Amino acid sequence: MIEYIKGELTELTPALATVEAAGVGYGLNISLNTFSAIQGKKEVKLYVYEAIREDAYVLYGFVNKKEREMFELLITVNGVGANTARMMLSGMSVPELCNAISTGNARLIQSIKGIGKMTAQRIIVDLRDKIVALGIADEIPAGGQVQAPVNNQVKDEAVSALTMLGFSPAPTQKVVLQILQEQPDLPVEQVVKLALKQIK
């Protein structure tokens, strides 16, 4: 079992980080929260979740253990797969998600693409006690994210990230353009977060 990978960050997109360790490049699926935290760093340490299926061997990377624990809890809920859990951690930070679960805010959880009413309620019922028992909800700063400088790649990176998450490029591009026209200074991770709530 891989606990974490520590090495040089050789490639980074909002959905994927490539970390070279001992001459091997590991491709790790990441959330937007992890992307924000490691952007601009040369050396990184990502905690790993291994998804081993008959047709694939997929690695997910997390900036800290709290995010990985939240991911592992989410995928125990019936109807929540690894990609849905990653999308949830892209749309909300761990503290925001914990707060929504502990207060029973199903509407907020439903605002994330792919989460219906039943799934949102199931997440709350299944995880409310567990997040407290595991201490995931403790002492995590909410916010404080570094704003990325504005550049012309924001639109392309946002569309690329959303396409990698499984959305069709055409409607995605339309939503991303609309967001950037209204708020041209937004960094790519914020554009993607907003788009996740708007793409139908």
Side-chain angles (χ1 to χ4, degrees):
M1 178 185 157
I2 301 172
E3 170 64 11
Y4 63 82
I5 294 173
K6 185 178 181 181
E8 183 187 353
L9 183 63
T10 57
E11 288 179 43
L12 181 65
T13 72
L16 190 74
T18 303
V19 181
E20 185 178 326
V24 179
Y26 296 91
L28 298 118
N29 289 286
I30 58 171
S31 71
L32 280 172
N33 290 317
T34 291
F35 171 78
S36 300
I38 65 175
Q39 206 176 13
K41 292 188 177 178
K42 290 240 184 280
E43 295 279 324
V44 295
K45 176 180 178 179
L46 293 177
Y47 291 91
V48 174
Y49 175 82
E50 299 171 84
I52 302 167
R53 303 193 301 265
E54 283 182 19
D55 60 340
Y57 175 56
V58 184
L59 298 177
Y60 292 86
F62 306 92
V63 71
N64 54 44
K65 287 185 177 181
K66 297 277 189 191
E67 191 185 26
R68 182 175 65 180
E69 285 171 6
M70 192 76 228
F71 176 88
E72 288 173 341
L73 280 180
L74 287 168
I75 60 175
T76 66
V77 177
N78 189 21
V80 179
N83 278 331
T84 302
R86 176 171 69 150
M87 197 170 295
M88 290 184 73
L89 289 166
S90 292
M92 299 168 78
S93 66
V94 174
E96 287 167 345
L97 200 46
C98 285
N99 187 45
I101 293 168
S102 61
T103 59
N105 192 340
R107 185 173 290 178
L108 187 59
I109 296 170
Q110 276 177 253
S111 71
I112 298 163
K113 174 73 179 173
I115 304 294
K117 187 176 180 181
M118 293 295 289
T119 305
Q121 289 172 345
R122 206 176 296 129
I123 288 166
I124 291 165
V125 171
D126 288 5
L127 302 186
R128 185 179 268 165
D129 293 336
K130 291 179 183 175
I131 60 171
V132 176
L134 279 171
I136 295 176
D138 299 345
E139 301 301 317
I140 313 171
Q145 290 188 346
V146 179
Q147 295 290 306
V150 181
N151 62 52
N152 296 328
Q153 296 177 322
V154 169
K155 177 177 72 73
D156 293 341
E157 283 190 21
V159 172
S160 168
L162 289 156
T163 305
M164 286 173 79
L165 287 169
F167 296 103
S168 302
T172 297
Q173 186 143 333
K174 187 178 174 185
V175 170
V176 168
L177 271 172
Q178 191 178 347
I179 291 166
L180 284 171
Q181 281 163 1
E182 290 170 8
Q183 302 178 74
D185 294 339
L186 283 182
V188 65
E189 60 269 24
Q190 297 295 341
V191 174
V192 175
K193 278 187 183 182
L194 287 172
L196 284 172
K197 294 173 181 175
Q198 293 180 31
I199 299 171
K200 301 292 181 229

